[in-house]
């Protein structure tokens, strides 16, 4: 977000200490809780009947067996962190550490086991611990799972899943204002968002057409189940992405009892959540509503991060109708609205977004509604179908100010609305213990209405002394994106697994077709060492704003509609070494070859690979697919899983990100930081008469190389009174290195014998008040180039009750 208000630190800290003391006084004795969930076959997703689930972190140990639907329940579990062991005849047993139990909410888990392919009399049953392994069994390399608990735990996260992803190796972060995900030097536009298996629009407040990030996330981490994040050579079912995939799942509600949660957070706002049983078929519901609380934050002295007043709200729900003869249905949805006014009289030249000579008004909205159906057609086969409709839109208006500080000349007006209707269906069949096959189709119909009127850099053709308001974009129509895929997972033996697939897609607007092979190999070299390798060809349509630029020289409204797919060939090899209990060392080396990149049809330095580095997409016409690029690097992850009340995570990346425009000159991309490093660590202390409460400290230190940028052409900028870059020196200058430290304190209190818990966190973000550079840009008010800084020190807090 933009520059924060001044901080009344002493007053704020004294208030927080008082709140903490009151919370401690409210919390007394211990109340036990329940761990329950479902255990399934990892490949067929069929329930495992009669499997054993054992709690091994308490003495005496206790256990349960799964019922006909694979469900289990362990009652009277003391609050804290626990370890489960799952076992089933003919399957590889598994340990699940770090299961967090609080008194305010039952812990609900969705677990899976993998069938052993060795002869039973030759099997030595060993409980494997695989934290972070991808949920999608077709994923081989560069994929891992994340949990909502980790999103809330890490420092500097703002309850934002995108910012959580920035802790992973290969993901670069050097921008506090937005949560764009930059993977291995790729533009954030190369990311695919999925929810419940179906593509969704940008799930952020204040989002704009064609972008994949924003200043405030509309994804509620309290509503998310375990989800996957892929950064390279992803599985064949994922299409229309060249950078990465965020494959999100919503959690199910408690099917046995009603539970409630209320929360207050600086960025997530005021939140209320309810969940519980729905019917006698094992159905459940969970629903949450959030609303920003800017006025409240200002009243108690907490900075909101901008001189403007952001207002936003979102609703998320998931309704599981349980089992029926027709299969299993669930209805899910997410939606949000947001608006913000940047008033020139209330800002200065250092604000990240605002111009003191203008008033700007931004409104945006989006929504997704989907129906998911799962039908079992055989002992080890199911058909899954998801249909959805989505809408995303917004408008942005800028007016110059008159002498009285009031709206005067309209300089920019943007109106967009995108609607999508999607169908995805696939058949998954576990042929035998070695072979699993998945094949399906995905169909999308996309409708778009978009207009852009702008005066920046335009001529004064009518001679009235005012730059003309020109229409740069004007489209009202529909088109389709159609995809099909087939993939298989074959276990060559206990140690070796091959994932192979083929993906095809067709885009009707530009009549583009692509066929994409995918291949992955995993080899368990020893009990501690796993080796992986993968290849994938991936294609993606350019972001929608690129297609609809109006060429003013010809007045053509479709100057770019002949553009084909961007293409990326991914190559990656890696190793994962569990060198000690609770420790892992993982490394990957990758190379990406980018081709068919849209560039100018004349000699220039422009490339669409740099789109997404600014708030808007470049307005360029008559582009051609002649550009190229390369991304290559090495990544390292050193991790101590949460055990013995502490964790540590270090991720580091050394990489290069280059491109060539139509002039054939190789240059740095806007996302070439060269290096990124994150260090996260945390410690918990139990306290209370029965050690039922928790005090936590979490630290995050982030550093990265500065981004390359094109210098301002000062003479041209003064003449046109807008920011103009010198493209002959494209990406030859570089900002200083980015560095930031965040420190988070928390307390979790499990209260009296009733089912009630509460937690309080305060996250001191940019603890050292480091002055990281956001941008060097031309200021038309001063006529000079100003240095705009990123967010300074500010505390983010969160208070939650569960019952």
């Amino acid at each position: 977000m933009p520059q924060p208000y001044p901080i009344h630190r002493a007053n704020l800290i004294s208030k927080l200490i008082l709140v903490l003391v009151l919370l401690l006084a409210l919390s007394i004795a211990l109340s036990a809780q329940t761990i329950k969930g479902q255990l399934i076959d990892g490949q067929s997703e069929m329930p495992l009947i009669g499997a054993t689930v054992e709690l091994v972190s308490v003495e005496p140990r206790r256990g349960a067996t799964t019922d006909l639907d694979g469900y289990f329940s362990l009652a009277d579990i003391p609050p804290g962190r626990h370890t489960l062991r799952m076992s089933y005849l003919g399957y590889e047993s598994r340990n699940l550490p770090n299961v967090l139990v609080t008194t305010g909410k039952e812990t609900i888990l969705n677990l899976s086991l993998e069938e052993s392919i060795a002869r039973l009399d030759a099997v030595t049953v060993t409980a494997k611990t695989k934290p972070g392994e991808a949920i999608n069994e077709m994923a081989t390399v560069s994929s891992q799972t994340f949990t909502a608990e980790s999103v809330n735990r890490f420092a500097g996260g703002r309850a934002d899943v995108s910012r959580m992803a920035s802790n992973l190796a290969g993901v670069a972060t050097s921008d506090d204002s937005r949560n764009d995900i930059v993977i291995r030097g790729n533009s954030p536009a190369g990311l695919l968002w999925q929810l419940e298996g179906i593509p969704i629009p940008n799930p952020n407040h204040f989002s704009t057409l064609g972008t994949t990030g924003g200043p405030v996330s509309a994804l509620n981490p309290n509503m998310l189940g375990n989800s996957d994040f892929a950064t390279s050579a992803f599985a064949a079912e994922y299409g229309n992405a060249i950078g990465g995939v965020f494959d999100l799942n919503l959690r199910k509600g408690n099917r046995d009892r009603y539970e409630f949660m209320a929360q207050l957070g600086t960025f997530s706002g005021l939140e209320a959540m309810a969940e519980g049983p729905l019917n006698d078929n094992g159905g459940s519901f969970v629903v949450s509503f959030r609303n920003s609380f800017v006025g409240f934050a200002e009243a108690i002295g907490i900075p909101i991060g901008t001189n403007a007043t952001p207002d936003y709200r979102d609703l998320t729900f998931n309704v599981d109708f349980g089992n029926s003869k027709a299969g299993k249905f669930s209805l899910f949805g997410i939606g949000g609205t947001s608006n913000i006014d940047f008033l020139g009289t209330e800002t200065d030249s250092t604000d990240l977004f605002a111009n003191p000579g203008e008033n700007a008004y931004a409104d945006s909205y989006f929504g997704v509604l989907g129906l998911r159906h799962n039908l079992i057609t055989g002992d080890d086969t199911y058909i899954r179908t998801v249909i959805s409709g989505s809408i995303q839109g917004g408008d942005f208006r800028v007016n110059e100010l008159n002498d009285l500080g009031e709206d005067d000349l309209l300089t920019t007006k943007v109106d967009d609305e995108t609607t999508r209707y999607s169908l995805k269906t696939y058949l998954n069949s576990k042929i035998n213990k070695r072979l699993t096959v998945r094949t399906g189709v995905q169909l999308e119909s996309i409708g778009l209405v978009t207009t852009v009127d702008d005066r920046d850099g335009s001529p004064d053709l009518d001679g009235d002394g005012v730059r003309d308001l020109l229409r740069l974009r004007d489209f009202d129509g529909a088109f389709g994106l159609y995809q099909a895929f087939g993939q298989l997972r074959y276990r060559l033996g206990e140690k070796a697994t091959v994932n192979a697939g083929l993906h095809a897609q067709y885009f009707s607007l530009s009549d583009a077709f692509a066929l994409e092979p995918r291949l992955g190999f995993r080899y368990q070299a020893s009990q501690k060492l796993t080796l992986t390798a993968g290849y994938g060809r991936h294609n993606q349509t350019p972001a929608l704003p690129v297609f609809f630029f109006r060429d003013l020289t010809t007045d053509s409204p479709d100057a770019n509609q002949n553009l084909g797919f961007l293409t990326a060939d991914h190559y990656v090899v890696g190793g994962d070494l569990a060198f000690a209990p609770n420790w892992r060392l993982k490394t990957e080396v990758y190379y990406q070859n980018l081709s068919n990149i849209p560039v100018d049809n004349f000699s220039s330095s422009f490339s669409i690979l740099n789109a997404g580095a600014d708030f808007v997409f470049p307005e360029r016409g008559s582009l051609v697919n002649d550009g190229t690029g390369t991304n290559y690097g090495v990544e390292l992850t050193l991790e101590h899983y949460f055990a013995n009340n502490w964790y540590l995570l270090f991720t580091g990346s050394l990489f290069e990100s280059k491109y060539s425009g139509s002039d054939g000159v190789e240059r740095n991309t806007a996302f070439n930081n060269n290096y990124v490093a994150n260090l996260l660590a945390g410690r918990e202390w139990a306290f209370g008469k029965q050690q039922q409460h928790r005090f936590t400290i979490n630290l995050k230190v982030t550093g990265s190389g500065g981004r390359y940028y094109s210098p301002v052409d000062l003479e041209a900028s003064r003449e046109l009174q807008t920011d103009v870059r010198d493209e002959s020196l494209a990406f030859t200058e570089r900002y200083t290195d980015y560095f930031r430290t965040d420190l988070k304190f928390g307390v979790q209190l499990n209260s009296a014998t009733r089912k009630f818990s509460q937690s309080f966190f305060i996250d001191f973000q940019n603890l050292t008040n480091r002055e990281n550079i956001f941008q060097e840009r031309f200021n038309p008010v001063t006529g000079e180039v100003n240095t705009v800084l990123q967010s300074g020190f500010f505390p983010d807090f969160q208070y939650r009750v569960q019952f």
Side-chain angles (χ1 to χ4, degrees), residues 189-192 234 238-244 420 442 444 446 481 483 503 505 507 516 518 538-542 565:
L191 179 71
L192 169 67
F234 20 93
Y238 301 122
N240 199 35
I242 62 172
R420 290 177 183 255
Q442 180 174 295
E444 291 183 88
I446 306 166
L481 178 64
Q483 304 177 64
H503 184 276
Q505 58 185 10
F507 186 52
E516 307 165 348
R518 316 281 173 85
H538 307 275
N539 289 272
Q540 184 180 29
T541 61
F565 291 116

Side-chain angles (χ1 to χ4, degrees), residues 470-536:
L470 302 179
R471 177 144 292 187
L472 303 181
R473 197 162 73 216
D474 190 352
F475 180 82
D476 184 352
F479 40 91
L481 178 64
Y482 311 111
Q483 304 177 64
F485 65 90
Q487 56 190 2
L488 62 84
R489 181 178 189 265
Y490 186 75
R491 301 180 66 189
L492 300 172
E494 286 290 328
K495 294 184 176 182
T497 302
V498 173
N499 285 323
L502 191 65
H503 184 276
Q505 58 185 10
Y506 172 75
F507 186 52
S508 68
L509 181 66
S510 58
D511 197 29
F513 176 79
L515 196 62
E516 307 165 348
R518 316 281 173 85
L519 181 65
F521 179 74
R522 180 189 299 269
Y523 180 69
Q524 191 74 38
S526 68
Q527 188 173 352
K528 295 182 178 181
L529 177 63
T530 303
L531 302 176
T532 56
Y535 164 75

Side-chain angles (χ1 to χ4, degrees), residues 175-300:
D175 187 347
D176 297 337
S177 66
R178 292 173 61 86
N179 61 10
D180 292 291
I181 299 176
V182 178
I183 300 171
R184 295 180 171 177
N186 290 287
S187 164
L191 179 71
L192 169 67
W193 285 102
Q194 284 205 165
L195 181 67
E196 293 292 308
I198 203 79
I200 61 171
N202 180 354
N204 283 279
H205 293 297
F206 311 105
S207 62
T208 55
L209 180 67
T211 62
T212 60
V216 181
S217 176
L219 291 170
N220 185 346
N222 298 318
M223 290 289 296
L224 295 179
N226 290 351
S227 303
D228 280 350
F229 183 73
T231 59
S232 181
F234 20 93
E237 66 188 81
Y238 301 122
N240 199 35
I242 62 172
V245 178
F246 225 142
D247 192 2
L248 302 165
N249 294 302
L250 294 175
R251 70 177 184 87
K252 298 178 182 178
N254 193 324
R255 66 184 199 138
D256 298 316
R257 66 184 295 264
Y258 294 102
E259 294 180 325
F260 305 92
M261 187 271 284
Q263 180 174 288
L264 174 63
T266 305
F267 286 95
S268 59
L270 292 161
E271 177 180 351
M273 177 185 292
E275 62 182 286
L278 184 68
N279 52 36
D280 296 331
N281 297 326
S284 66
F285 75 92
V286 56
V287 59
S288 176
F289 176 76
R290 305 189 302 179
N291 195 90
S292 61
F293 73 109
V294 173
F296 177 78
E298 292 178 352
I300 63 175

Side-chain angles (χ1 to χ4, degrees), residues 174-175 177 349-354 613-616 707 709-710 712 723 725 735-736 771-779 785-790:
S174 58
D175 187 347
S177 66
S349 61
T350 63
D351 196 289
L352 271 67
F353 294 102
D614 299 315
F615 300 128
V616 295
R707 284 186 178 179
Y709 69 98
S710 304
V712 174
D723 189 277
R725 300 289 164 157
Y735 296 125
T736 57
E771 293 186 342
N772 293 304
I773 294 178
F774 173 69
Q775 193 179 62
E776 298 274 353
R777 73 180 182 194
F778 175 73
N779 186 338
V785 176
N786 288 349
T787 299
V788 183
L789 299 178
Q790 304 211 39

Side-chain angles (χ1 to χ4, degrees), residues 25-45:
L26 289 172
S27 188
I28 44 177
L30 176 68
S31 176
Q33 193 51 280
T34 299
I35 298 177
K36 62 185 181 181
Q38 187 182 33
L39 185 61
I40 61 174
D41 180 293
Q43 282 68 57
S44 69
E45 298 191 15

Side-chain angles (χ1 to χ4, degrees), residues 224-496:
L224 295 179
N226 290 351
S227 303
D228 280 350
F229 183 73
T231 59
S232 181
F234 20 93
E237 66 188 81
Y238 301 122
N240 199 35
I242 62 172
V245 178
F246 225 142
D247 192 2
L248 302 165
N249 294 302
L250 294 175
R251 70 177 184 87
K252 298 178 182 178
N254 193 324
R255 66 184 199 138
D256 298 316
R257 66 184 295 264
Y258 294 102
E259 294 180 325
F260 305 92
M261 187 271 284
Q263 180 174 288
L264 174 63
T266 305
F267 286 95
S268 59
L270 292 161
E271 177 180 351
M273 177 185 292
E275 62 182 286
L278 184 68
N279 52 36
D280 296 331
N281 297 326
S284 66
F285 75 92
V286 56
V287 59
S288 176
F289 176 76
R290 305 189 302 179
N291 195 90
S292 61
F293 73 109
V294 173
F296 177 78
E298 292 178 352
I300 63 175
I302 294 180
I304 60 174
T306 176
N307 290 326
T309 303
D311 186 24
Y312 48 91
R313 63 213 52 81
D314 52 68
L315 173 74
T316 309
F317 67 88
N318 190 19
V319 180
D320 180 2
F321 294 98
N323 295 317
S324 69
K325 292 181 179 180
K328 193 169 187 177
F329 292 88
S330 62
L331 182 70
F332 62 91
I334 180 173
T337 62
S338 52
N339 61 276
I340 188 169
D341 298 340
F342 299 103
L343 304 181
T345 56
E346 298 179 8
T347 63
D348 57 45
S349 61
T350 63
D351 196 289
L352 271 67
F353 294 102
N355 184 325
E358 299 175 340
N359 283 343
Y361 309 91
D363 296 89
S364 63
Y365 56 91
F366 88 103
V368 178
L369 180 65
L371 180 67
R372 172 169 153 161
H373 177 233
N374 209 72
L375 179 65
I376 297 175
T377 60
D379 291 339
D380 292 302
T381 302
Y382 66 85
I383 297 175
R384 179 166 299 158
T385 303
V386 185
I387 58 173
S388 72
S390 68
I391 187 170
Q392 181 181 36
D395 61 84
F396 179 68
R397 178 168 54 89
V398 179
N399 289 83
E400 289 184 355
L401 302 184
N402 59 23
D403 294 338
L404 299 177
E406 300 170 337
D407 285 353
D408 194 1
L409 183 69
L410 176 68
T411 60
T412 302
K413 193 173 191 313
V414 181
D415 287 292
D416 298 313
E417 183 172 276
T418 308
T419 56
R420 290 177 183 255
Y421 299 97
S422 304
L423 166 68
K424 181 177 182 179
T425 183
Y426 66 83
L427 180 143
N428 188 97
S429 181
K430 181 180 176 182
I431 307 299
N432 53 49
K433 63 179 65 177
R434 290 180 181 269
L435 178 63
T436 301
V437 176
R438 182 178 298 173
T439 182
V441 296
Q442 180 174 295
L443 313 175
E444 291 183 88
S445 175
I446 306 166
L448 176 65
V449 179
T450 177
T451 58
V452 174
D453 298 314
D454 194 67
R455 296 184 193 272
D456 275 353
S458 67
D460 177 16
L461 298 178
D462 56 11
D464 63 353
V466 178
R467 300 187 308 275
D468 294 338
L469 186 67
L470 302 179
R471 177 144 292 187
L472 303 181
R473 197 162 73 216
D474 190 352
F475 180 82
D476 184 352
F479 40 91
L481 178 64
Y482 311 111
Q483 304 177 64
F485 65 90
Q487 56 190 2
L488 62 84
R489 181 178 189 265
Y490 186 75
R491 301 180 66 189
L492 300 172
E494 286 290 328
K495 294 184 176 182

